[in-house]
Amino acid sequence: MTKLRLAIVGAGPAGIYAADILLKAERRFDVSIDLFEQLPAPYGLVRYGVAPDHPRIKGIITALRDVLDRGDIRIFGNVHFGTDITLADLKRHYNAVIFATGARRDTGMELPGADAIGSYGAADYVSWFDGHPDVPREWPLDAASVAVIGNGNVALDVSRMLAKHADDLLVTEVPENVYEGMKNSAVTDVHVFGRRGPAQVKFTPLELRELGELHDVDMVVYDEDFDYDDASRDAIASNKQVMVIDRVLQSWRTRDSVNNAGGSASRRLHLHFWARPVEVRTDDEGRVAALVYERTRPDGTGGAVGTGEMRELPIQALYRAIGYFGSPLHGVPFDKKHGVIPNREGQVLSKDSNQRVPGIYATGWIKRGPVGLIGHTKSDAMETVRHIINDQGSWWQPEDPSEGAIPALLAERGVHWTDLDGWHRLDEHEIALGAPQERARVKVVPREDMVRISRGE
Ligand code: NAP
């Protein structure tokens, strides 16, 4: 039987789904898969992008763990592609590689003053509250009034995690340093800015509704934002999601807190629509002091145009949640404009000539950009896997496809990799840390601790 030795780079949902689909679907080849992950633990975005107070989505880990626990995929964690292992190494030892490295950086924003002290990318804050090992342990939560730019689910995650009281996170897997940081937060008002209207938001109804359930946080919406045009009314009438979103927002309009009249909560979460950020004003020390924004109005087709009316809101911190962006991988074509690996249905294309690059594939957010929910990654993986199977004639012909070659290579390079047994050890350790407080787990944050516990050292 023909053997297919496949490397997958990235052990998030995209990489694990691709491995699972290939192993389940393929009967013509004897498939063996090695999964490389730069972090010491698997699950990518589900572990390090989904907010700790979203256990339902975190629950996807159970399905991903079942795939890994079947034992037919080898994991090499704490292995950085480009330094610890290179494309040339993969060519020497595999028939093909799938890159499933996701999109973890923030999209750049051309906003004067966006680089001021106190202006943050959402991705960095998310990494902090999710205990990512590669970001600083401390996060400055010293601002009373904060602006969040964007109307997607990440903007809502960030706003909720800014407004939420630390003690309300104690039931979750939130790391100790994050709980301590949030406990001392000075925040009183979180202002979320959408450049279009309530009928054009990208966030989803469940995530919006959840904001209204936060303990000791009042929702504030503004009457002037609900003067709908025909396009908005059509969107509400024809799209169930938009209809529910409108219903939730309308229910907040009838509360005491509407138009900032003030409820009784100690924190407020304001939703501003039709507001396009124009400039971040700073104080003498270069710190965020105010957000200048232009009032927009509907353009009749679901978009927005400026009205010329400028407003200014005093704030002390700003979070930009306008989308994620992929990172280039050494030796692999990269589309700098869109932050993805150029590809046709997952088959990687060279940057200049648009020609197929044999042996190299992509799946997940690095393939199609940072849009869609985690489940969408499955159909994405199916498409990529189908091409790998059909492309048998153009697979790489590895010099040494033996299974022992990779551990030997990593050992020779002094890489302290972690494997599936190691992940089980870290998993059990985190679960044990949470047990005394009846929490599902408490995450271990420093990379060296994760590696040490995984390797049983
Ligand atoms: P997103 O859904 O694409 O939302 C980006 C938001 O930023 C949009 O409201 C967009 O407005 C706005 N924006 C873009 N450029 C802007 C600019 N220059 N000025 C002002 N606003 C700007 O991206 P995301 O929130 O990063 O989410 C990424 C994906 O992850 C989505 O599919 C999301 O659903 C998913 N996700 C899901 C969950 C969950 O299920 N709980 C949690 C987190 C993320 P326009 O629409 O006007 O362009």
Side-chain angles (χ1 to χ4, degrees), residues 12-31:
I16 296 179
Y17 285 143
D20 185 40
I21 287 165
L22 183 59
L23 284 166
K24 275 189 183 147
E26 193 41 46
R27 296 281 169 264
R28 279 174 293 162
F29 307 119
D30 175 12
V31 180

Side-chain angles (χ1 to χ4, degrees), residues 44 49 127 129 137 148-149 210 265 278 291 295 424 442 450:
S127 293
F129 68 59
R137 296 294 105 81
V148 177
I149 299 174
E210 191 183 354
V278 171
L291 178 68
R295 182 88 184 141
H424 285 151
V442 172
M450 294 174 76

Side-chain angles (χ1 to χ4, degrees), residues 194-197 224-225 273-277 293-299 303-309:
R195 60 183 173 180
R196 298 190 287 156
E224 62 175 359
D225 290 338
F273 299 98
W274 306 113
R276 186 179 70 84
Y293 61 97
E294 182 184 14
R295 182 88 184 141
T296 59
R297 61 176 167 77
D299 69 356
V305 286
T307 63
E309 181 195 338

Side-chain angles (χ1 to χ4, degrees), residues 151-457:
N151 262 182
N153 278 325
V154 172
L156 293 200
D157 277 351
V158 164
S159 310
R160 192 180 69 252
M161 289 295 286
L162 284 167
K164 200 160 189 161
H165 292 275
D167 282 348
D168 295 330
L169 279 168
L170 266 184
V171 288
T172 73
E173 60 177 42
V174 74
E176 283 305 319
N177 64 308
V178 176
Y179 170 72
E180 289 303 328
M182 287 181 66
K183 209 167 164 52
N184 297 317
S185 170
V187 78
T188 59
D189 290 84
V190 178
H191 297 266
V192 187
F193 286 87
R195 60 183 173 180
R196 298 190 287 156
Q200 289 84 33
V201 296
K202 295 265 175 68
F203 51 68
T204 38
L206 204 64
E207 280 61 31
L208 178 68
R209 195 181 282 132
E210 191 183 354
L211 298 182
E213 291 158 7
L214 293 178
H215 156 68
D216 191 30
V217 178
D218 274 336
M219 291 307 300
V220 184
V221 290
Y222 296 84
D223 273 343
E224 62 175 359
D225 290 338
F226 294 89
D227 194 7
Y228 290 143
D229 68 331
D230 285 345
S232 296
R233 274 190 290 272
D234 285 352
I236 292 166
S238 62
N239 183 318
K240 185 138 183 273
Q241 289 228 128
V242 183
M243 189 188 298
V244 178
I245 282 169
D246 178 57
R247 204 177 295 148
V248 174
L249 293 170
Q250 298 293 350
S251 75
W252 292 337
R253 288 181 75 188
T254 58
R255 284 196 196 170
D256 288 350
S257 51
V258 71
N259 294 328
N260 216 358
S264 54
S266 66
R267 292 180 178 174
R268 283 155 300 280
L269 210 160
H270 310 246
L271 300 179
H272 303 267
F273 299 98
W274 306 113
R276 186 179 70 84
V278 171
E279 185 190 349
V280 181
R281 291 251 158 90
T282 53
D283 64 14
D284 294 345
E285 290 166 359
R287 293 179 180 281
V288 171
L291 178 68
V292 180
Y293 61 97
E294 182 184 14
R295 182 88 184 141
T296 59
R297 61 176 167 77
D299 69 356
T301 62
V305 286
T307 63
E309 181 195 338
M310 297 294 169
R311 296 182 181 180
E312 188 169 328
L313 178 79
I315 49 166
Q316 301 85 46
L318 174 91
Y319 291 75
R320 305 172 310 270
I322 64 162
Y324 286 140
F325 207 74
S327 301
L329 294 145
H330 192 71
V332 181
F334 189 68
D335 174 345
K336 280 190 197 142
K337 192 165 167 226
H338 302 101
V340 297
I341 298 176
N343 70 90
R344 194 183 301 122
E345 297 186 346
Q347 295 173 306
V348 171
L349 305 174
S350 70
K351 210 173 56 191
D352 307 317
S353 62
N354 242 12
Q355 295 293 310
R356 282 245 5 253
V357 183
I360 308 185
Y361 298 82
T363 194
W365 276 5
I366 198 67
K367 168 185 174 185
R368 71 191 146 91
V371 284
L373 304 179
I374 294 165
H376 296 154
T377 316
K378 267 190 196 168
S379 43
D380 211 12
M382 271 180 208
E383 185 181 69
T384 298
V385 161
R386 197 183 63 233
H387 280 299
I388 294 179
I389 292 168
N390 293 339
D391 290 348
Q392 190 191 349
S394 61
W395 290 351
W396 296 329
Q397 297 304 322
E399 271 166 42
D400 178 4
S402 70
E403 300 225 326
I406 293 297
L409 183 75
L410 294 176
E412 188 189 304
R413 289 182 184 165
V415 180
H416 291 200
W417 80 91
T418 58
D419 59 12
L420 183 61
D421 288 342
W423 165 239
H424 285 151
R425 271 192 287 274
L426 179 61
D427 194 32
E428 281 159 20
H429 181 90
E430 291 186 340
I431 291 169
L433 281 183
Q437 300 156 37
E438 294 182 18
R439 296 163 66 183
R441 76 173 60 237
V442 172
K443 266 186 192 163
V444 174
V445 180
R447 184 182 278 264
E448 55 282 12
D449 291 355
M450 294 174 76
V451 173
R452 186 176 45 73
I453 295 161
S454 293
R455 292 172 61 93
E457 287 166 358

